[in-house]
Amino acid sequence: MRWSKLFVPTLRDAPGDAEAASHKLLLRGGFMRQLHAGHYSMLPLGWRVHEKIAAIIRLHMNAVGAQEFHLPTMHPARIWQQSGRWDLMGDEMFRLQDRKGADLALGMTAEEIFATAALEITSYRDLPQQWYQIQTKFRDEPRPKSGLLRVREFYMKDAYSFDIDEAGLDASYEMYREAYIRIFKHLSLPAVPVEASSGAMGGSGSNEFMVPSDAGEDDVVMCTKCDYAANSERATSALAVIADDEGPAEPELFDTPGVRTIAALAGFDGGATAENQIKTMVMMADGAITLALVRGDHSLNMQKLVDGLGVNDLRPATPDEAQATLGAMPGSLGAVAVAGLKIVADPALQGRTNMTTGANIDDKHYRGVSVERDIAVDEFMDLRDVAAGEACATCGAELEIIRCIEAGHIFKLGRKYTEAMGVFVLDDNGEKRVPIMGSYGIGVGRAMAGIAETHHDDNGVIWPVAVAPFEVTIVVVSMRDEATVEAGEQLWRNLRARGIDAAIDDRDARAGVKFADAEITGIPWRVTVGPKGVAAGNAELTDRATGTTVEVRLADIEQQVVDAIEAARIPTGAEAPLL
RNA sequence: CGGGCUGUAGCGCAGUUUGGCUAGCGCACCUGCUUUGGGAGCAGGGGGCCGUGAGUUCGAAUCUCACCAGCCCGACCA
């Protein structure tokens, strides 16, 4: 393309409300513009990047034998009601009505729709099936943020596997997991697979692909030594065993005037250190008061509680609700002798004795509490946040917590959707079998933002060759010098003839403007053709990433550019596509 | 949904505290001349429902109320 004809509205200053690096730089580079919160218009340069990313994902999906579909993005309510997610999805689903008053939804994911298509699979011989699409998804996010990182309308590659049994699902899942590793490598996204919570999708297992970045929204617990990595919503650690005294035969009530917090009780004469306290969290889980107990020095992870209880809606109870149920205000709450409420406790409390906790009487606590003896715990389940510095449960080394962007997520779904939609096949005994599903997602725009977050400097994004809007741009320093123009134009023609995605900056602008635009748009290679160089038979080749410039004979520049780009097209170490 | 902040030209901002004259600055844009290897110089010029609505006032960008929108921090997810 010719810059003189391109619409690339680069900005010297980023809009004041942009915060994340990718957000600022994608705006400044003229890649995109915000239409309203969570909805972005892709401008020509941005769309080129977006499409290159989509093409790479498509390449690797096709390589493992997945078949591309294109489903409607507007769905009838009926299909979502059938799976139960019409209600489950709540406010996150965009809903509308047609002229007849029929309820419709904008698709936020497509399990139900693909499962509907799967109704026509009738024989076990047709399994497994690997299906995918790259299609717009709508989610009414409570808080869109950070440019393309969290939006309400986005392209997602969503793939679905259908297998006859668990072993088949395991194989499909592993196939996608490996394909994802190849995809992220191809995209130059340093994504690591981590154990994850399945959240609202349900299912038996899931991995997220996490890109370390301060702009991310997830905390990932990573071992500094072995390859253990898990989302904090799932992560565990090894705790030192605490040896308790047996304590008294029954809990002792004692006065704790004004003591409202774990810390206050730890500093109170006759109190207890935090690790010898029981923290009682009063939660409202799907409308029912539930007590969640963790050790005093631990913090409750809400997602773990959601997963452990299998509920949809969870929030802390209000102080009034807590008082109405337990008879005391937060600060004096406990679970000793509480009956009629669901009580769950973190395993760190299992077997503990001689503990201290609230007595459900304002300004009074119990000491000498034995967890199993004095509290009617329904179930022990992992509930606590792992803290940095704790020991890895696998190898014992120190754990660290790293902020990450979730670039992909794969799930073993189970039979929830196939069952709901009534999908079945006949097996080799003529018996009805419900296929088991997996689902596998990558956000295209999010990947783009993730690349920008991990590949930029103060002057702009530094695109990897594989996704760059152009692989090389030729800066013609002076449009007034005929020999220079001709040298630039000829190089441009030759590079394109050799399959290089090249642009030429033929604007009648000052060189500085062209250099700045080449940098802010992040094109990985720049060839500078200027009057002095051309007169001497030279051009310059500049590497955007390092800023280094080498002088190259005009006769050699074409080959040198081709070599540099071809070497970078598939990142070193990436497996060749399995086509 | 809770907390904090912000809406003035395409972008970045000042002006608002203490109401007052034609609403200002930089960048960008248009015209002309000069310039042409790191975001040019000079001269001239265009562009504003001051987020929306109501109110107070002789008079509102400025004060009051309501609403809308956007950003950031928390609860939610590719």
Side-chain angles (χ1 to χ4, degrees):
Chain A
M1 292 285 278
R2 295 180 178 277
W3 279 83
S4 61
K5 309 252 189 277
L6 276 173
F7 180 64
V8 186
T10 57
L11 301 173
R12 220 184 260 241
D13 305 306
D17 50 16
E19 193 83 6
S22 65
H23 188 192
K24 283 190 219 173
L25 295 176
L26 291 175
L27 290 172
R28 284 187 53 208
F31 294 99
M32 64 178 196
R33 290 292 183 263
Q34 183 184 65
L35 185 61
H36 57 142
H39 300 261
Y40 282 84
S41 303
M42 287 310 236
L43 274 33
L45 228 49
W47 188 241
R48 290 180 75 93
V49 174
H50 195 274
E51 284 292 273
K52 285 192 179 187
I53 293 169
I56 288 171
I57 295 170
R58 184 175 282 124
L59 174 78
H60 289 274
M61 284 295 103
N62 293 344
V64 297
Q67 307 158 73
E68 185 166 9
F69 283 54
H70 192 80
L71 305 181
T73 193
M74 193 183 290
H75 308 156
R78 174 184 49 79
I79 213 163
W80 287 89
Q81 285 157 349
Q82 205 170 331
S83 70
R85 290 208 285 185
W86 179 258
D87 295 322
L88 203 60
M89 288 305 192
D91 290 337
E92 208 171 318
M93 180 179 263
F94 281 107
R95 299 156 202 261
L96 66 159
Q97 292 189 332
D98 67 12
R99 63 171 72 204
K100 293 181 289 189
D103 287 318
L104 302 169
L106 296 183
M108 43 198 299
T109 178
E111 282 76 13
E112 284 85 347
I113 322 301
F114 271 106
T116 300
L119 284 168
E120 294 190 49
I121 307 174
T122 49
S123 163
Y124 75 97
R125 291 199 184 89
D126 295 327
L127 296 177
Q129 286 289 325
Q130 311 298 345
W131 295 353
Y132 80 101
Q133 65 171 347
I134 300 177
Q135 171 64 298
T136 304
K137 302 294 183 294
F138 294 90
R139 294 183 189 178
D140 192 355
E141 292 287 342
R143 186 152 97 83
K145 56 174 288 202
S146 307
L148 248 31
L149 279 175
R150 174 161 226 82
V151 293
R152 303 201 301 175
E153 175 180 353
F154 58 101
Y155 254 44
M156 180 167 81
K157 187 286 296 176
D158 46 326
Y160 304 83
S161 62
F162 295 85
D163 282 279
I164 189 70
D165 56 17
E166 275 73 3
L169 173 59
D170 289 348
S172 292
Y173 187 87
E174 180 58 20
M175 180 182 84
Y176 283 104
R177 206 182 67 82
E178 287 170 11
Y180 269 41
I181 291 169
R182 288 192 289 272
I183 288 168
F184 291 121
K185 201 165 199 174
H186 200 153
L187 294 175
S188 301
L189 258 184
V192 294
V194 313
E195 291 175 27
S197 157
S198 308
M201 300 294 292
S204 59
S206 84
N207 281 175
E208 291 167 327
F209 289 80
M210 293 298 215
V211 177
S213 164
D214 291 339
E217 304 175 88
D218 286 86
D219 286 322
V220 174
V221 175
M222 291 192 193
C223 181
T224 50
K225 196 168 154 210
C226 74
D227 58 3
Y228 177 77
N231 192 303
S232 60
E233 298 170 353
R234 273 236 11 171
T236 57
S237 66
L239 290 178
V241 175
I242 296 176
D244 293 315
D245 291 335
E246 198 175 309
E250 60 181 55
E252 298 173 0
L253 196 62
F254 66 108
D255 289 324
T256 50
V259 171
R260 291 282 177 275
T261 62
I262 300 285
L265 188 57
F268 182 77
D269 198 22
T273 60
E275 62 180 25
N276 289 318
Q277 297 185 42
I278 301 168
K279 188 189 286 186
T280 307
M281 308 291 287
V282 184
M283 308 301 292
M284 189 65 85
D286 281 352
I289 294 276
T290 300
L291 302 186
L293 313 182
V294 295
R295 209 169 80 183
D297 58 332
H298 291 159
S299 73
L300 174 70
N301 185 293
M302 297 269 284
Q303 187 65 43
K304 286 184 175 180
L305 184 57
V306 166
D307 293 344
L309 293 173
V311 296
N312 186 36
D313 185 46
L314 183 76
R315 62 169 174 83
T318 65
D320 289 344
E321 288 167 341
Q323 193 185 30
T325 310
L326 295 174
M329 292 298 280
S332 304
L333 298 175
V336 172
V338 169
L341 292 181
K342 174 99 171 171
I343 301 176
V344 296
D346 186 78
L349 293 174
Q350 208 154 8
R352 295 294 307 278
T353 59
N354 206 21
M355 305 282 284
T356 299
T357 188
N360 290 332
I361 303 168
D362 285 332
D363 294 325
K364 287 185 193 296
H365 281 75
Y366 282 120
R367 63 165 77 95
V369 174
S370 291
V371 173
E372 275 100 332
R373 182 192 66 193
D374 301 322
I375 299 176
V377 175
D378 290 293
E379 200 179 336
F380 285 94
M381 57 177 68
D382 181 31
L383 292 176
R384 71 184 172 87
D385 276 318
V386 168
E390 291 178 359
C392 174
T394 306
C395 76
E398 202 167 295
L399 295 173
E400 56 185 347
I401 296 183
I402 313 238
R403 196 78 165 158
C404 288
I405 297 167
E406 181 188 356
H409 200 162
I410 60 180
F411 300 86
K412 292 184 183 176
L413 283 181
R415 297 188 169 81
K416 174 175 174 179
Y417 301 102
T418 38
E419 220 152 60
M421 308 320 287
V423 181
F424 70 87
V425 299
L426 296 182
D427 67 12
D428 52 357
N429 294 316
E431 306 267 347
K432 279 189 180 180
R433 299 273 295 271
V434 177
I436 186 165
M437 283 179 76
S439 81
Y440 315 91
I442 295 179
V444 180
R446 185 121 112 193
M448 179 170 163
I451 295 168
E453 285 294 339
T454 50
H455 299 77
H456 70 266
D457 59 20
D458 291 344
N459 296 324
V461 181
I462 304 168
W463 295 111
V465 166
V467 302
F470 295 99
E471 293 172 317
V472 59
T473 181
I474 299 161
V475 170
V476 180
V477 168
S478 170
M479 292 304 290
R480 311 286 169 83
D481 183 79
E482 244 175 75
T484 302
V485 172
E486 182 44 36
E489 291 279 343
Q490 191 181 343
L491 177 61
W492 186 48
R493 279 194 302 272
N494 293 349
L495 285 172
R496 285 183 302 146
R498 297 193 58 182
I500 301 293
D501 192 9
I504 184 166
D505 197 339
D506 59 342
R507 293 175 294 175
D508 185 20
R510 302 175 72 83
V513 173
K514 300 184 182 188
F515 293 151
D517 278 347
E519 277 152 18
I520 188 69
T521 54
I523 297 169
W525 294 100
R526 183 183 97 207
V527 174
T528 308
V529 181
K532 284 180 211 138
V534 168
N538 290 327
E540 288 156 30
L541 182 59
T542 303
D543 179 351
R544 170 72 182 85
T546 62
T548 54
T549 295
V550 291
E551 197 133 329
V552 180
R553 298 293 300 167
L554 264 176
D556 302 331
I557 187 79
E558 176 191 324
Q559 190 58 44
Q560 195 140 338
V561 170
V562 170
D563 290 345
I565 287 170
E566 286 185 345
R569 270 185 178 159
I570 303 279
T572 319
E575 286 85 341
L578 307 175
L579 286 168

